[in-house]
Amino acid sequence: MKRSSERILTTHAGALPQPEDLKQMHAAKIGGQPLDEAAFAKRVRSAVAEIVKKQIDCGLDIINDGEVGKSNFSRYARERLSGFIERPAKPEDHVSSIFARDMVEFGNYFNKRLGTVRGENVKRVFCNGPLKYIGQKSLQQEIEDFQAALQGQDYEEAFLPAIAPGTIEHWMKNDYYPTDEAYLFAIADAMHEEYKAIVDAGFLLQIDDPDLPDGWQFMSQMTVPEYRKYAELRVDALNHGLRDIPLEKVRFHTCWGSYHGPHKYDIPLRDIVDLILKVRANTISIEAANPRHEHEWRVWQEVKLPEGKVLVPGVVGHATDIVEHPEAIAERLVRYAKIVGRENVMAGTDCGLGPRVGDPQIAWAKFEAMAEGARIATKELWGK
């Protein structure tokens, strides 16, 4: 794991813009339409090569494959796990919504903007048997495509993302295991194979777990103490899935769901920061640029970043299509560096920019601004 020992390094949270033709191929695959698998595989490989080069050209140091081979950051797990079915939701089924608390006050907003409440599924996925990892072939292809794209390129480190058990649980409900704990640990056991394979291939493993904070919106009747107990079990399950994997090989990314909306009822970072730090990961990537959470840099004045950990605050965001000014980015980085130490900070994004900003050009412009902001911060922090 690299550190910002001589300059502020730059990275991002994962999903990058997919080429339009590849996006259409993914849609066809999801919809069960005829698809030339050989053409699809060839396009994924070429898209990964394009994405790798684009990241480097924008000035990113720690890069990934853009997740362009996946339909999205979480749905891919449906193709890599056995033991579930998809069926229409029943009235007694608990409906999952990442803005359930916001919906109470801002129902008109969501209904007007979205037409229907996004995050509630007409068809739901349910675990109906023992979970088993069956994604070896897909994962190996993902690894090989990324390895091929990295050949001859100049970069600091490379990472591949994988989804956390607690986030999988939110879209795949349990109809089989006797308890939540048994179910979560079964997911962790199944995903352990993917986690380990990524590290064994020589990459950093990034765990994506947006539902650690946004589960607070899901579980809209819970108090903070009740939710902390709920979230801690999900962290314990994740750590079980990360067993035997060196901490320095693991990055943990979390956010507050990344939906465009009020976020008025997000749980404060202060209420869960100790649980985030409990994850077996040396690098913590967290939202820090959007207007609801930017002020939470102050939390790190009160909570000491543990020895050896690296903080990757989002210094550019997905919540706006405005391209942040490099000077503003530099100010954010310097603010964090002065609290936790310059060597313990990297520049990052609030979430994956690809699917969340209005146009790919905006995403790439944000990365260029972030790289420039990191250079300005480096000059202030190192005098060079």
Side-chain angles (χ1 to χ4, degrees):
M1 181 191 72
K2 299 278 185 174
R3 305 180 78 86
S4 296
S5 56
E6 298 178 353
R7 61 184 177 87
I8 296 292
L9 296 175
T10 56
T11 186
H12 64 95
L16 298 177
Q18 285 187 355
E20 198 57 41
D21 61 329
L22 181 56
K23 197 181 296 184
Q24 292 171 5
M25 288 181 172
H26 278 298
K29 192 172 183 180
I30 292 170
Q33 300 171 21
L35 180 68
D36 184 331
E37 291 292 344
F40 175 73
K42 183 177 180 181
R43 185 63 184 107
V44 169
R45 178 162 285 214
S46 65
V48 173
E50 293 164 12
I51 287 288
V52 163
K53 188 173 187 308
K54 190 70 174 176
Q55 289 172 82
I56 294 169
D57 289 346
C58 286
L60 296 180
D61 297 306
I62 301 169
I63 62 176
N64 77 337
D65 66 346
E67 301 185 72
V68 295
K70 298 173 179 175
S71 56
N72 73 24
F73 88 98
S74 64
R75 185 184 175 88
Y76 85 94
R78 301 184 192 189
E79 302 164 7
R80 298 187 184 181
L81 294 173
S82 66
F84 67 87
I85 58 170
E86 191 169 332
R87 64 163 171 80
K90 298 175 182 177
E92 64 269 22
D93 291 331
H94 175 69
V95 175
S96 297
S97 174
I98 62 172
F99 42 75
R101 291 178 190 256
D102 279 352
M103 184 70 182
V104 174
E105 181 174 345
F106 302 105
N108 287 343
Y109 164 84
F110 287 109
N111 289 326
K112 287 178 182 178
R113 177 166 178 163
L114 304 174
T116 57
V117 180
R118 191 179 70 180
E120 296 182 0
N121 305 315
V122 176
K123 282 193 173 182
R124 305 284 302 287
V125 180
F126 292 85
C127 172
N128 69 335
L131 290 175
K132 184 178 179 183
Y133 189 78
I134 57 170
Q136 293 86 353
K137 184 177 179 181
S138 296
L139 177 59
Q140 186 57 38
Q141 190 62 59
E142 181 181 319
I143 288 170
E144 290 176 3
D145 288 345
F146 195 26
Q147 288 171 332
L150 291 170
Q151 289 297 313
Q153 300 296 337
D154 186 17
Y155 60 97
E156 292 290 341
E157 281 187 300
F159 71 96
L160 282 175
I163 191 170
T167 292
I168 291 176
E169 178 203 22
H170 280 172
W171 57 258
M172 185 166 73
K173 302 302 181 183
N174 176 30
D175 266 358
Y176 177 79
Y177 288 91
T179 63
D180 285 352
E181 182 173 0
Y183 179 46
L184 285 159
F185 276 72
I187 299 173
D189 278 328
M191 291 302 293
H192 175 73
E193 185 170 346
E194 177 162 303
Y195 301 162
K196 188 173 186 301
I198 288 171
V199 172
D200 288 348
F203 299 123
L204 298 177
L205 165 67
Q206 176 171 296
I207 295 294
D208 287 331
D209 195 9
D211 289 351
L212 179 60
D214 75 34
W216 168 251
Q217 294 257 7
F218 275 79
M219 302 302 164
S220 57
Q221 303 306 311
M222 286 187 177
T223 64
V224 170
E226 288 170 341
Y227 185 70
R228 281 180 51 81
K229 185 176 180 181
Y230 170 94
E232 186 166 23
L233 175 59
R234 276 78 194 157
V235 171
D236 289 344
L238 171 57
N239 284 341
H240 178 68
L242 293 172
R243 64 190 183 279
D244 305 325
I245 298 176
L247 272 69
E248 64 270 17
K249 295 294 185 180
V250 183
R251 299 164 36 131
F252 179 71
H253 171 70
T254 194
C255 61
W256 281 263
S258 299
Y259 70 86
H260 289 249
H263 285 273
K264 181 178 177 181
Y265 295 99
D266 285 355
I267 193 167
L269 174 61
R270 182 176 285 102
D271 288 339
I272 56 170
V273 65
D274 59 321
L275 300 179
I276 291 171
L277 292 174
K278 187 180 176 183
V279 174
R280 294 189 74 259
N282 269 18
T283 302
I284 306 296
S285 163
I286 193 165
E287 268 189 272
N290 80 62
R292 191 68 198 177
H293 295 283
E294 184 174 5
H295 70 286
E296 291 182 318
W297 61 270
R298 294 183 179 277
V299 170
W300 302 103
Q301 292 178 319
E302 306 163 13
V303 177
K304 181 175 173 56
L305 186 69
E307 187 73 27
K309 286 195 184 290
V310 171
L311 188 62
V312 186
V315 291
V316 301
H318 60 278
T320 176
D321 286 345
I322 295 173
V323 177
E324 292 85 350
H325 197 286
E327 292 282 1
I329 293 167
E331 286 180 3
R332 290 169 176 168
L333 289 168
V334 170
R335 183 186 297 153
Y336 276 94
K338 287 183 176 178
I339 296 171
V340 304
R342 62 188 185 182
E343 72 282 1
N344 299 321
V345 173
M346 290 184 191
T349 61
D350 275 355
C351 200
L353 298 187
R356 294 179 179 87
V357 297
D359 186 87
Q361 288 183 310
I362 294 174
W364 300 120
K366 282 175 176 278
F367 285 136
E368 290 169 350
M370 182 169 69
E372 177 61 22
R375 287 190 288 270
I376 295 169
T378 294
K379 186 172 183 179
E380 180 170 345
L381 293 166
W382 275 269
K384 61 179 182 180

